[in-house]
Amino acid sequence: MGKGFGQRYNFQQFDIEDGLPQSQVTAITQDQQRRLWVATLGGLSCFNGYQFSNYSKTNGLKSNFILSLVTNENNELFIGSDKGLGKYSGKKFYSYKEPKNWVSKLTTDDHGHTYWISKGLFRTDGKKTTQLNITKNPNEIVTALKRDALGRIWVAIYDQGLYYLDNDQWHKALLDIKIKDLIVTDLLIDNTSSGKIWLLTTTGVFIAQNGKVSKAYPEVKNRCNTIIQDEKGYIWLGTNKGAWYISPHQTIHFNAKNGFTDNEVRDIFKDAENNIWLGTEGAGLYKFSNNGYVTFDESQGLKNNMVMSMAMGPKPGEIWLGTYDGLFVHQKNTITKVTIPSADEDAKKVNFLFNDSKKRVWMGTVGGGIWMYQNAQFKRIDKNEHPLACNTMLEDSQKRIWLSTNYGCYTLNFAQKKLDLVTETPAISLLEIGRDSIIAGTQNGPVLIQNRKTSPLKIKALTGLSVLSMRKIRNFIFFGTADNGLMIWNMSNGDLRQVTTKDGLASDHIYSIMLDKKGVIWIGTGRGVNRLSAKYFNVIKNTNGSTLLVECNQNAILESDDNVWFGTTKGAIVFYSNPALAVPRKPYVYLNAVSVMSQTRQKGDQHEVQTIYKEQQMNQTITLPFSYNHLNISFTGIYLTNPEAVRYQYRLIGLDSKFSQPTAIASVNYNSLPAGKYTFEVQAITTVGITSANTAAFEFEIYPPYYQTAIFRIFIVCLILILIAITIYTILYLNERQRKLRLKIKLEEQFKIRKQTAEDFHDDLGNKLTRISVLSEVLSSMLGQNETEKKGIIQKIKTNVNELYLGTKDILWSLDPKNDTLNELLNHIQEFGHEMFNDTDVHFSAGIAVDREDLLPLELGRNILMVFKEAIHNALKYARATEVSFTATVNHEILELKLKDNGNGFDVDAAKHGHGMNNMTVRAERIKARLEVISDQTGTTIALYVKFSTLNF
């Protein structure tokens, strides 16, 4: 296999100036957040693509002398140092008690075990540490430890061979006996070739396959330390003098001559984005970026990085490079200087190189003449002219050579060996569009030269533009302008299309245009290189990482074999014209912290950070009181391929429905959030539109203030209802109170009137009835014995007077307010009964079991009295009873009044139509009482049931 040529490869170096704690890098690994962890002999460092965060013994490390690193499935970082094994959980550093010796290699399996080498092989499950003895030789020396793609653990044991752990059993690899004589420093189970094992030793590289071990790649003579396999299956080796890259096509030694270092490489690591990281002894950390290009500059032999022009050399495989410090040729891994036969220093300022159809090389300089190289000799063709600064050259379809200089445009007259002036207008670029039709690009727009006559090209949009470069592709003319991007003119219909930075160009200054053999349009701009689709003229996005930021030079573009060369201010940049399409590498995003601030501060005070929630605390819903509603959320996008390309889109579900526009700011503030449940989501997105592999999110809830809670609202509703009820009650109470007051006043008035009426009635009517009765007796005494008829009339008058008197007694009793009690009523009924049955054959008895002084309204008492007076009268008059009883009892707040007799009874239904029974029924209904009449041959019972609640209305 042939060696790679001496171009400078794309390595990015990180050392103490970039934040590493120390430049001796011993191990590299990556956690689940895609953060890179770097072990040095001066401490531990975490790299997120932007900055290094360093840890030392002051942070809890067991030792700053770190030798090995590995992460497990729980995202725990195991740290091997000169003082044993440690662990970092993401919050705190832990140290294992045993062993206390050097831990030089680390790996993990799928069962939660960690393995390491420390004067033997050890294993721990986090609780128990065990020393493993594989060969039963107590003095076995384990020199290498590795995990393969299947999760098996491999070890190399000096003088014993190679072993692997499968299903908790150690198996010996059946290899050639010669492996016993090798000191294996690292090993690799090849992922692309079954049964192939790479063995690194102190004397080079060996390959074991089909049971045989053989030395490979004899050019690798150094001590080898570490080996990995990249995404393409190619091999990377770290040695004590640089690194090696081995592919089926080439073997490259990366060293100080091609952009790397000659220092020892202690570890090589492939990250999740397939970037290659190399840890060196004393030169820090390197990242290899395979962006599809290499560089030739002063480190490869050029005397000046300003490559102004390029052309194919006169010999096969040669590429000539014109700089402001002379002419150089690249061929077969070598850059050498070409001598220009002129003592004029301006002849070294090569401004343009051109190949014509006769394989001659033309060279234009800045004031040092125009030269032609033919038959291994340089010849100056303008020696009789004033010095010209040649900008560009063109060979038209008639094989004429056109020159654009600072004095105008010329054609070369070979016959007369002179330059013929065509136009005094200086042109920056030249393009043939037809026979005898040349477009000259000037600082004031394109000019058409037809039959050596000039006129402005009538394209309105190009008027006044500075045309730096031109190219004809099919029926389109491409104009590269200054400040206005790429203008594409359709010669068939006159349409003009503009492509600028808004469409994806790196810059609006277009210095060179070329269509390669594979149909891709290459554009050299003032800030890098772009590719366009030849079919649609749209910019092809670069998904392989960072975009090269370099200023291309005018018309310095060349295709050679499968490569496209650009002359830039940083040397010659060589792109592969058909780079392999890589799977887009996606960034990863994670949340750093959430700072919660209170909005309850007094006016004029600064917001004070109350609580900071770290990444580990955001796995559960965060709950916040309503006053803590000012949030600052910080996050980090890991895109080690190109950290500068990371942008962020975020949204707060519950407040936003769509993601925000991409922003480079890695934090967001939310002020005065209302109460509610929220979910914050953020994703990283690159400048070319590659979205992160994950969306970082966390949930939080801001509790509403007490006055916005459902309980408080229910309480308020209940309180309002209670207040309404109290108000209504108060109104009703006051109305009732007023009613009772009015009733009291009315009763008092009635009391006075009744008392006065009773007194007046008694004094007046009673006295007069008594006088009538007395006068009747006087008159009766004055009659003779024979005047019986007159005496009978007088007796009737006396009887009516007595009955009237008795009737007035009830009226007077009712009018008297002192009788408005239940006891007085019952006693009066009892007395009335005794009075009515006095001097009769009927025995009357009363049983009153009520002792209550309830006041009775006049109407109520009078109706009860009248019911039982009617009943007593009926019993006396119609019952023919010998026994009559009156009882009064209270049962469940109901007054039960009954009048019973043992008379002959009567037909209740027939009696209902009578005047007396009808009156009794009407009076009972009037006072809302229940009247029951039960009568048969054994007697009659009249019962009146009155609720006490009606006694006090």
Side-chain angles (χ1 to χ4, degrees), residues 213-226:
V213 178
S214 59
K215 187 173 177 60
Y217 304 98
E219 60 267 43
V220 184
K221 301 177 182 179
N222 308 99
R223 170 189 170 92
C224 299
N225 300 321
T226 183

Side-chain angles (χ1 to χ4, degrees), residues 102-355:
W102 288 42
V103 176
S104 58
K105 299 284 186 179
L106 273 168
T107 193
T108 61
D109 64 15
D110 293 330
H111 306 291
H113 298 113
T114 303
Y115 299 80
W116 70 90
I117 299 175
S118 178
K119 292 185 178 181
L121 183 64
F122 289 82
R123 180 174 71 182
T124 181
D125 59 3
K127 299 179 180 179
K128 181 181 179 181
T129 299
T130 306
Q131 183 172 3
L132 305 178
N133 188 275
I134 300 172
T135 64
K136 309 305 179 184
N137 180 356
N139 297 318
E140 71 179 19
I141 301 175
V142 181
T143 60
L145 172 67
K146 203 66 169 269
R147 171 178 169 165
D148 67 12
L150 300 177
R152 298 176 298 184
I153 305 299
W154 290 74
V155 295
I157 302 176
Y158 177 68
D159 199 35
Q160 295 294 324
L162 208 60
Y163 293 80
Y164 64 91
L165 180 64
D166 191 17
N167 293 326
D168 209 31
Q169 294 291 327
W170 287 100
H171 305 272
K172 186 173 183 178
L174 299 177
L175 300 177
D176 196 317
I177 191 67
K178 70 173 65 174
I179 192 176
K180 295 176 60 177
D181 301 327
L182 300 175
I183 301 177
V184 179
T185 56
D186 200 5
L187 59 100
L188 174 72
I189 312 303
D190 198 299
N191 297 328
T192 61
S193 180
S194 178
K196 185 176 183 179
I197 304 175
W198 296 73
L199 302 171
L200 302 191
T201 72
T202 55
T203 57
V205 181
F206 289 79
I207 293 178
Q209 197 167 22
N210 299 324
K212 295 183 179 181
V213 178
S214 59
K215 187 173 177 60
Y217 304 98
E219 60 267 43
V220 184
K221 301 177 182 179
N222 308 99
R223 170 189 170 92
C224 299
N225 300 321
T226 183
I227 181 172
I228 67 160
Q229 199 165 18
D230 65 17
E231 61 176 327
K232 297 179 181 178
Y234 302 157
I235 300 299
W236 290 75
L237 304 176
T239 73
N240 63 351
K241 191 172 183 180
W244 288 81
Y245 173 75
I246 301 173
S247 76
H249 314 291
Q250 58 184 346
T251 299
I252 304 173
H253 184 200
F254 295 119
N255 52 34
K257 295 180 180 180
N258 54 24
F260 190 54
T261 177
D262 288 334
N263 291 22
E264 181 175 2
V265 177
R266 299 285 298 273
D267 193 22
I268 303 178
F269 180 76
K270 178 174 71 71
D271 67 22
E273 300 170 21
N274 296 313
N275 298 302
I276 303 299
W277 299 84
L278 304 98
T280 69
E281 182 77 23
L285 181 69
Y286 283 82
K287 182 182 79 170
F288 175 78
S289 299
N290 184 16
N291 293 322
Y293 65 87
V294 294
T295 305
F296 295 93
D297 55 18
E298 292 178 355
S299 62
Q300 280 77 50
L302 292 177
K303 297 299 182 182
N304 192 309
N305 284 340
M306 184 74 75
V307 178
M308 298 299 298
S309 56
M310 292 177 293
M312 300 301 297
K315 296 180 181 180
E318 282 187 343
I319 294 179
W320 281 22
L321 307 174
T323 75
Y324 275 178
D325 199 10
L327 182 64
F328 295 84
V329 59
H330 171 270
Q331 187 181 36
K332 295 182 179 179
N333 196 33
T334 304
I335 293 178
T336 55
K337 189 171 184 179
V338 178
T339 302
I340 300 173
S342 174
D344 188 352
E345 286 295 321
D346 288 338
K348 296 180 181 180
K349 297 179 180 180
V350 181
N351 203 35
F352 197 87
L353 291 171
F354 179 73
N355 296 110

